[in-house]
């Protein structure tokens, strides 16, 4: 099973610091994992075997000769799209952050059923504010779904960093949406123009070069999709919710007593994710007069 929270696990374990996470993730954009790293991440070979195969040009021949992998496994490996965790593992090796044996251990431990790196971060965030983590588990569920959506729709590794003066002072666009019903939750992403265009392009499949109505439509549709998935999940827990229309503001900064701010680091840049039970206090007009 491919790991879906590997970067968060590394941050929580102190393998890298929050100020280095963005730089390391950015390197994943253009990296192609060595087949040995890829096979290691998938649990097909051991760290000793990976060390012997790492960088070998004739990987397939060597793996067959050593009986590390069979023809079917090699064929499936070559046809599959590398998981983002494997790309990140390759960068960790190239940067000298870990060796191959440590990487194997990290891959294995991060997939443990008792490993819940995102839950751990959100629980600490809630408890710091005096909120009961169990009562507000729906917030943690949202963040986990949001990060899964980043991997599915944005094709990027993603992690969250709470609080600690991590706001993006040059961010100029805020897209937000409120959900009501059995549970109330307002969520928003505040980002720079470059990050907005990167997200819009990855979601639409078309290159976006200007923050215009088409780019904003893509971002708001992304919000509809993510939050739509969330309310469907909540309905499965007997919490019926509905969606308001998404809105995009220029120079909007969410305010309010219960607004939580998380910095989301991705391979194409960072942005702020805001969550609130009571909604955002905002006075700005919608972008383009909507």
């Amino acid at each position: 099973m491919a790991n879906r929270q590997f970067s968060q696990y590394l941050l929580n374990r102190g393998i890298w610091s929050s100020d280095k996470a963005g730089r390391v993730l950015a390197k994943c954009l253009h990296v192609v994992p060595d087949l040995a790293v890829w096979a290691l991440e998938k649990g097909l070979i051991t760290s000793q075997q990976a060390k012997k195969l790492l960088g070998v040009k004739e990987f397939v021949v060597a793996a067959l000769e050593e009986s590390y992998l069979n023809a079917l496994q090699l064929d499936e490996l070559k046809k599959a799209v590398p998981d983002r965790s494997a790309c990140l593992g390759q960068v960790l090796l190239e940067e000298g952050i870990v060796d191959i044996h440590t990487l194997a251990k990290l891959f294995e431990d991060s997939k443990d059923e008792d490993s819940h790196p995102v839950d751990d971060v959100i629980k600490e965030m809630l408890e710091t504010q005096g909120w009961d983590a169990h009562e507000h588990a729906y917030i943690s569920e949202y963040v986990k779904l949001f990060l899964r959506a980043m991997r599915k729709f944005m094709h990027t590794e993603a992690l969250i960093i709470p609080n600690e003066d991590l706001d993006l002072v040059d961010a100029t666009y805020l897209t937000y949406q409120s959900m009501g019903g059995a549970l109330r939750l307002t969520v928003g992403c505040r980002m720079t123009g470059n990050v907005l265009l990167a997200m819009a392009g990855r979601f639409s499949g078309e290159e976006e070069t200007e923050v215009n109505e088409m780019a904003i439509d893509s971002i708001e549709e992304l919000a509809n999709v993510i939050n739509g998935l969330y309310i469907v999940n909540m309905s499965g827990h007997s919490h019926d919710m509905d969606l308001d229309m998404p809105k995009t503001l220029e120079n909007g900064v969410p305010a309010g007593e219960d607004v939580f701010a998380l910095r989301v680091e991705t391979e194409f840049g960072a942005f702020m994710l805001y969550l609130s039970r009571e909604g955002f206090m905002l006075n700005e007009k919608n972008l383009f007069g909507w």
Side-chain angles (χ1 to χ4, degrees):
M1 179 181 66
N3 181 271
R4 300 303 179 194
Q5 300 176 352
F6 188 53
S7 57
Q8 192 72 51
Y9 176 81
L10 296 175
L11 181 65
N12 293 7
R13 281 280 306 271
I15 302 301
W16 56 13
S17 58
S18 58
D19 60 331
K20 294 181 179 179
R23 180 183 64 82
V24 175
L25 285 178
K27 289 182 175 293
C28 294
L29 264 178
H30 308 293
V31 72
V32 176
D34 191 292
L35 285 174
V37 174
W38 195 352
L40 183 66
E41 192 276 335
K42 293 174 71 67
L44 298 175
I45 59 177
T46 68
S47 60
Q48 292 288 354
Q49 293 169 340
K51 184 177 181 180
K52 190 169 183 179
L53 294 174
L54 200 61
V56 174
K57 291 183 179 180
E58 298 296 332
F59 176 88
V60 172
V61 175
L64 286 173
E65 287 182 348
E66 297 290 346
S67 298
Y68 293 162
L69 296 167
N70 59 44
L72 179 59
Q73 289 173 319
L74 286 165
D75 186 58
E76 292 178 348
L77 190 66
K78 290 165 61 179
K79 290 180 179 178
V81 177
D83 188 82
R84 302 313 301 168
S85 297
C87 296
L88 179 51
Q90 183 69 37
V91 174
L92 294 177
L93 290 175
E94 293 178 358
E95 290 286 301
I97 297 174
V98 300
D99 59 25
I100 194 69
H101 301 294
T102 302
L103 181 61
K105 181 66 173 172
L106 291 170
F107 279 149
E108 180 181 359
D109 290 351
S110 64
K111 296 175 185 178
D112 190 280
E113 291 183 358
D114 294 327
S115 177
H116 305 287
V118 175
D119 281 331
D120 294 342
V121 173
I122 301 303
K123 180 181 179 182
E124 182 177 351
M125 179 187 75
L126 293 172
E127 291 180 347
T128 298
Q129 298 297 321
W131 291 20
D132 182 85
H134 180 72
E135 180 182 352
H136 296 91
Y138 65 93
I139 294 179
S140 180
E141 290 303 309
Y142 181 85
V143 177
K144 287 189 291 186
L145 182 144
F146 183 88
L147 293 178
R148 290 196 300 270
M150 286 294 101
R151 294 179 180 94
K152 179 176 181 178
F153 300 120
M154 300 291 102
H155 312 292
T156 179
E157 262 293 310
L159 59 83
I160 53 172
I161 306 171
N163 309 321
E164 299 179 2
D165 299 323
L166 293 169
D167 208 348
L168 302 175
V169 294
D170 59 344
T172 53
Y173 301 100
L174 169 69
T175 296
Y176 71 100
Q177 189 169 32
S178 295
M179 293 167 271
L183 298 172
R184 297 176 61 188
L185 186 64
T186 298
V187 296
C189 294
R190 180 169 170 255
M191 66 209 90
T192 64
N194 287 339
V195 169
L196 185 150
L197 291 173
M199 292 179 69
R202 284 167 179 251
F203 184 67
S204 68
E206 300 180 4
E207 184 179 2
E208 302 287 354
T209 59
E210 181 183 357
V211 179
N212 53 26
E213 291 192 35
M214 185 175 295
I216 296 299
D217 282 345
S218 292
I219 290 294
E220 292 186 349
E221 181 58 26
L222 173 63
N224 272 325
V225 170
I226 294 175
N227 297 333
L229 289 171
Y230 178 70
I231 65 173
V232 168
N233 286 356
M234 287 297 100
S235 68
H237 297 286
S238 300
H239 298 306
D240 291 329
M241 302 174 70
D242 51 66
L243 281 177
D244 289 347
M245 292 292 291
K247 299 177 181 179
T248 299
L249 307 177
E250 190 167 13
N251 300 318
V253 182
E257 293 184 359
D258 73 338
V259 175
F260 291 107
L262 296 166
R263 179 162 173 160
V264 181
E265 289 283 359
T266 75
E267 297 171 19
F268 54 81
F271 60 92
M272 298 301 296
L273 173 65
Y274 297 91
L275 306 99
S276 173
R277 299 175 301 178
E278 302 300 328
F280 300 154
M281 295 176 58
L282 294 163
N283 298 318
E284 293 81 356
K285 293 182 179 179
N286 287 358
L287 197 58
F288 302 125
W290 298 339

